[in-house]
Amino acid sequence: MELVELLRKNRELVISGASNETAKALLLSHMLSSQSSLIEPTLLVAGNGTQVEGLQHWLHFFGQQSHAFFFDPKSEEFAMTPEILQNFLLFMQGAKTMFLTTRATWEVAFPLYTELLARKLTLKKGQEVAFTQFVEDLLDRGYEHGQDLYLI
């Protein structure tokens, strides 16, 4: 398949002209299932959240597992939910699956994955934690208390 070879060679492929999410999902599903050595993880960038949800539905219909991470960065209600962060981290770790996102999300400046690893805090069950030092470490990493259920 010529498209697979182009993707393998350039590590990026833009396909236009597929009329809807069903056609795009069918084409991508066929490409992925016909080539087990395709570059993974696979990232599909769509125009908006509605398209991402449609693509995810049809990819599942055609037998492809996918994870979506997207949000509206201009929204005042924006929150980096645990699900969004988890899917982003799976993508950055190179999970062998397909990820879907929107153009707006793709253009947001996420921190470098190496920065995230360097600044992580790991707590273990039964570990003694110095409360004041722990809170100071969180503040040093940018934690802010918010009204939302999620960290901002």
Side-chain angles (χ1 to χ4, degrees):
M1 181 174 229
E2 292 178 29
L3 293 177
V4 173
E5 292 306 318
L6 277 172
L7 179 57
R8 191 176 288 129
K9 178 181 175 187
N10 298 332
R11 300 188 50 88
E12 170 179 314
L13 181 64
V14 176
I15 300 174
S16 61
S19 61
N20 57 36
E21 282 71 34
T22 309
K24 293 171 189 170
L26 178 61
L27 179 61
L28 188 56
S29 178
H30 179 71
M31 288 174 60
L32 292 173
S33 63
S34 69
Q35 297 291 325
S36 61
S37 61
L38 196 60
I39 300 165
E40 293 187 81
T42 303
L43 176 67
L44 177 59
V45 179
N48 58 49
T50 302
Q51 290 175 344
V52 167
E53 291 168 349
L55 285 162
Q56 190 168 34
H57 167 79
W58 286 109
L59 285 165
H60 178 75
F61 180 82
F62 293 124
Q64 296 292 330
Q65 178 185 2
S66 64
H67 298 281
F69 62 97
F70 67 93
F71 51 86
D72 181 1
K74 296 176 185 167
S75 168
E76 296 203 8
E77 298 175 14
F78 162 72
M80 178 64 72
T81 64
E83 181 183 10
I84 292 171
L85 185 57
Q86 182 180 20
N87 285 331
F88 171 71
L89 292 174
L90 281 171
F91 172 69
M92 294 305 294
Q93 288 175 335
K96 304 291 186 195
T97 189
M98 183 183 326
F99 296 89
L100 307 169
T101 194
T102 62
R103 171 65 58 194
T105 302
W106 182 244
E107 292 174 350
V108 168
F110 278 89
L112 293 174
Y113 182 63
T114 53
E115 278 181 32
L116 292 174
L117 288 178
R119 296 173 51 89
K120 73 179 177 180
L121 285 175
T122 305
L123 301 175
K124 296 179 182 169
K125 184 177 179 178
Q127 172 186 351
E128 296 245 349
V129 176
F131 180 76
T132 303
Q133 182 62 49
F134 178 69
V135 171
E136 288 175 357
D137 287 345
L138 287 174
L139 293 172
D140 287 344
R141 286 166 171 77
Y143 173 80
E144 297 176 17
H145 180 72
Q147 301 302 318
D148 199 341
L149 296 174
Y150 306 108
L151 301 178
I152 58 172

